[in-house]
Amino acid sequence: MDVIVLGGGLMGTASAYFLARRGARVTLIERNRIGTGATVASFGNIRRTGRHLSQLPLAHRSLKLWGEADKMLGRDVEFRASGHIRLIFDEGSLTDMRAYAEAARPWGLELEELGQSEIRARFPGLGPDAIAASFSPHDGSGNPRLIAPAFAEAALKLGAAIVEDAKIERIERTDSGFLVATSEGTFAAECLLNTAGAWGARIAAQFGEEIPLDARGPQMGVTEPLPHRILPVVGIWTRDKDHGAYLRQVERGNIVFGGAAERVPVDLDPGHAAADPTRLPLQLRAVARLLPAIAQVAIIRTWCGCEGYMRDMLPVMGRSATTEGLFHAFGFSGHGFQLGPGVGDAMAELITTDRCETPLDDFRVDRFSRAA
């Protein structure tokens, strides 16, 4: 089986690797360089807490693969199962957390509830005003700069072709499959997998599938290095978007943070946005609620990305509803990093066997037209 994968982020490179591992002949086409889109701008959070319940089977599948990544890919991608804590500052958010924990339990996610004294004892310096927290001990973080190149390199070793700096000029459905003409040559395959991220809806539209996707950029930042003391990824339970911050400390000591600042619209041509310095004060106030010490630390860099956001915040994943041999995996709405390996494995299973052990029906491409 020949498969063309469009898009060289985490979803595309993971798909290419798992397809090649299943014996498919794979050509991955990327418009820029591998891993330079939404993946590299990611926060690096590997969390299951707070996900839509229908995503949890995919998240569980992916977490297992994250745990195997170093051995599987032959390099350290800095996955650390250091845990994920979400702080709670009001009774309404505590109620929300408890309701979610109860609903998620049958889906295989167990959350530990921490009281004030437990937070102080186990995670000193975090959220001094927090009244409670949830803790998921098996989640953690990974390095967004390493994971997509690692999957691409591993796919290459399995015989996949990786084509970078290839601008798509034309995509055609032929009698035998698909023809993709690019600035780096023309490629043919029996199947086409659309993992083009924020550009995914444009590709789907060429096959009569209209997807309500918005391209937006999250604002991120990183501090100077500090002594390494914060092990878990830190987030918050809140309904207030101005408080929705998160942070993690990497082993080199820098604290990576994001959230709170409104995601900015992104023009897909050229497809990137600049960080807005006027948004930083609001963001830092929200982050300081989680970690007051950050108020005394120098910020050394800020950046922005380009992600595809769906109306219902669920991805498009599975078979095309209009075109035989076309598959989609895009629109992960800012929370696809944890799912990446599982997405690649699931799509490879679906494409090569016509089945998938992980339920994908909630992610169908035609769900918006069916609801109309």
Side-chain angles (χ1 to χ4, degrees), residues 153-207:
E153 182 180 320
L156 197 62
K157 290 177 180 177
L158 292 176
I162 309 292
V163 185
E164 297 178 284
D165 295 315
K167 304 300 183 286
I168 302 295
E169 296 171 350
R170 189 177 73 259
I171 304 174
E172 293 180 9
R173 182 72 171 91
T174 68
D175 291 340
S176 57
F178 297 86
L179 196 69
V180 180
T182 79
S183 58
E184 296 298 310
T186 299
F187 306 91
E190 178 184 344
C191 295
L192 180 69
L193 173 56
N194 170 17
T195 60
W199 291 263
R202 286 187 173 182
I203 293 170
Q206 295 183 46
F207 298 93

Side-chain angles (χ1 to χ4, degrees), residues 226-241:
L226 302 166
H228 187 245
R229 294 175 180 166
I230 305 169
L231 292 179
V233 177
V234 185
I236 183 173
W237 287 96
T238 181
R239 301 174 188 176
D240 187 342
K241 63 180 178 61

Side-chain angles (χ1 to χ4, degrees), residues 1 22 30 65 76 88 102 134 136 161 185 193-194 236 267 284 306 309 316 328:
M1 172 182 285
R22 287 176 174 269
E30 164 56 38
L65 292 167
D76 180 12
I88 299 166
E102 185 66 25
S134 68
S136 178
L193 173 56
N194 170 17
I236 183 173
D267 185 348
L284 287 176
C306 179
Y309 287 81
V316 169
H328 302 293

Side-chain angles (χ1 to χ4, degrees), residues 279-297:
R279 298 168 184 263
L280 190 57
L282 172 64
Q283 192 172 43
L284 287 176
R285 282 196 296 273
V287 174
R289 197 181 190 202
L290 308 180
L291 180 68
I294 205 169
Q296 309 302 320
V297 178

